[in-house]
Amino acid sequence: MPLFATLSVDDRQRVAEAAFTRRYERGEHVFQPGDQPGLYIVHVGRVKVYRLPESGTEQLIRILGPGEFLGEAAVLGDIPVDHFAVALDRTEVCSIDRRSILDVLAERPTVAVTMLQTVSHRLSEAEQMVSSLTGRSVEQRLVGELLRLAHESGSAQFQLPSTKKDLASYLGTTAETLSRRLSSLQDTGAIRLGPGRFVEILDEQALRSGALSG
């Protein structure tokens, strides 16, 4: 796992001995608000992290895959867990209690640096999303996300990592509006939608132009 890649074999063995591995079925919660803080590392499958505000409308925070971790805010800040994590597939997660992971961070600064780099990147993404929600149209936010996913996949063809409902939640809109925007982008020839969550960017320039005019 990338977080522990710099550790020696002996140190990794020590971390492994402190970890508890559990398998989750699709839809099963990995943790919920009020649970004890701990570090959770996705080994197999995907985990959706979200909040449920008073409005009752689910707010997607992020979706994590193999090698990625969650729960770092509660671990580092010793604050109660205030969000949900649910398995999107048959998932395997390694969890390490707060005391054990803090011992590793204190003794192995390289792990602490790696964790802080990831946390900083997530904070930057969150700030960009807040700015996007207040200053950009739904179509502009959607185009930005499609371009980001294409960049991450290294290809113009990729799968949306979540359902349209979850993607809509992440972009601050409704599933119906998202579907209309995707269909509109396909009608202009900027993208092609395939079975399931498949997307292909056919004309990046047209895609960007459509976002500017949207």
Side-chain angles (χ1 to χ4, degrees):
M1 296 177 179
L3 181 60
F4 303 118
T6 60
L7 296 182
S8 67
V9 173
D10 289 342
D11 284 339
R12 275 181 280 174
Q13 180 61 37
R14 177 186 165 197
V15 171
E17 290 172 354
F20 174 78
T21 301
R22 179 177 171 183
R23 293 173 177 82
Y24 298 86
E25 296 298 323
R26 179 178 179 180
E28 189 175 359
H29 279 95
V30 178
F31 61 72
Q32 304 182 58
D35 286 353
Q36 291 297 314
L39 190 71
Y40 298 82
I41 305 166
V42 183
H43 183 52
V44 176
R46 297 177 302 148
V47 173
K48 177 174 75 172
V49 183
Y50 68 95
R51 284 191 172 89
L52 198 61
E54 293 182 3
S55 65
T57 302
E58 184 180 298
Q59 293 181 340
L60 177 68
I61 300 174
R62 65 180 60 89
I63 292 176
L64 303 175
E68 296 184 292
F69 61 86
L70 58 158
E72 70 284 349
V75 167
L76 296 175
D78 191 20
I79 56 178
V81 175
D82 65 350
H83 49 281
F84 298 81
V86 63
L88 292 179
D89 317 294
R90 295 189 67 180
T91 301
E92 186 175 302
V93 176
C94 299
S95 61
I96 307 174
D97 67 82
R98 181 173 185 269
R99 184 67 267 163
S100 295
I101 195 62
L102 287 179
D103 287 344
V104 172
L105 297 180
E107 296 173 12
R108 297 294 181 268
T110 53
V111 177
V113 169
T114 300
M115 179 179 286
L116 288 174
Q117 287 173 336
T118 301
V119 172
S120 296
H121 178 69
R122 290 176 180 174
L123 178 60
S124 176
E125 284 187 337
E127 291 174 342
Q128 290 176 15
M129 179 53 67
V130 171
S131 176
S132 174
L133 289 173
T134 57
R136 302 171 70 192
S137 68
V138 172
E139 187 148 338
Q140 288 171 333
R141 298 199 294 271
L142 172 58
V143 167
E145 182 65 8
L146 293 177
L147 291 172
R148 185 187 70 82
L149 291 170
H151 176 73
E152 286 191 350
S153 69
S155 171
Q157 299 181 357
F158 56 90
Q159 295 278 345
L160 295 176
S162 63
T163 64
K164 290 180 180 178
K165 178 181 177 182
D166 283 338
L167 179 58
S169 171
Y170 182 67
L171 296 177
T173 187
T174 65
E176 293 77 12
T177 298
L178 177 69
S179 292
R180 288 197 298 270
R181 295 294 186 272
L182 285 169
S183 295
S184 177
L185 291 172
Q186 179 169 244
D187 290 342
T188 65
I191 66 172
R192 180 172 70 88
L193 303 175
R197 299 193 296 268
F198 174 86
V199 177
E200 180 181 8
I201 295 178
L202 300 175
D203 189 334
E204 182 174 331
Q205 184 175 354
L207 189 62
R208 293 181 182 276
S209 297
L212 291 174
S213 62

